[in-house]
Amino acid sequence: MLICDTGPLYAALNRKDNDHEACLRLLEEDPGPLIVPSPVLAEVCWLLESRAGSEAEATFLDSVASGELDLVELTDEDVRRMAGLVRQYSDFPLGAVDAAVIAVAERLQAVRIATQGDNRVWLQGEVLQLSFLGSFTRVAIACPAGRV
């Protein structure tokens, strides 16, 4: 099971993204399931539509509708956990979408999270710990120098 954050999904669908090839390869080669928390869906759609166009956004939605990606809705407990995480990591800051990724990973007891970018929260397993096991594995995505 691989919990997908916004970055790898966006990059896989945007050929202009520096990490396009690495992210596309990751998503195509991972045995899955590829889990997409519902807030990630909204963020990916917004980014694709605004930066890559409506066709890229529609392609992403088709991937979800066809079952290539498994959309996971938030529970009330997930949202409570998100609020706690946003408070706990306010100095990062940790936003709602990242907090949703973590809350869903905890609920599903998933230890693999695909993410990218310069968010310090994701840089080391020991920076942020999942409540059920103490740490997670950040799936490596080749990022251009200086991005992580």
Side-chain angles (χ1 to χ4, degrees), residues 110-124:
V111 295
R112 297 172 61 240
I113 299 173
T115 189
Q116 70 174 147
D118 59 1
N119 189 336
R120 291 184 301 154
V121 172
W122 302 111
L123 294 183
Q124 305 172 47

Side-chain angles (χ1 to χ4, degrees), residues 42-143:
E43 190 171 57
V44 171
C45 284
W46 179 81
L47 285 169
L48 286 171
E49 195 281 324
S50 65
R51 298 180 184 178
S54 297
E55 186 56 37
E57 180 183 16
T59 298
F60 171 65
L61 292 169
D62 287 340
S63 297
V64 174
S66 71
E68 288 178 61
L69 303 169
D70 293 338
L71 182 63
V72 173
E73 295 299 331
L74 299 178
T75 65
D76 291 342
E77 187 57 36
D78 290 338
V79 177
R80 281 189 282 281
R81 177 66 173 138
M82 289 166 58
L85 287 165
V86 167
R87 285 185 184 98
Q88 182 178 354
Y89 295 99
S90 62
D91 59 327
F92 279 119
L94 179 73
V97 176
D98 287 338
V101 168
I102 295 161
V104 167
E106 289 179 339
R107 174 165 48 95
L108 299 179
Q109 297 193 352
V111 295
R112 297 172 61 240
I113 299 173
T115 189
Q116 70 174 147
D118 59 1
N119 189 336
R120 291 184 301 154
V121 172
W122 302 111
L123 294 183
Q124 305 172 47
E126 62 270 13
V127 172
L128 186 65
Q129 297 184 343
L130 298 177
S131 64
F132 70 89
L133 100 138
S135 65
F136 66 90
T137 300
R138 178 181 186 259
V139 175
I141 296 174
C143 293

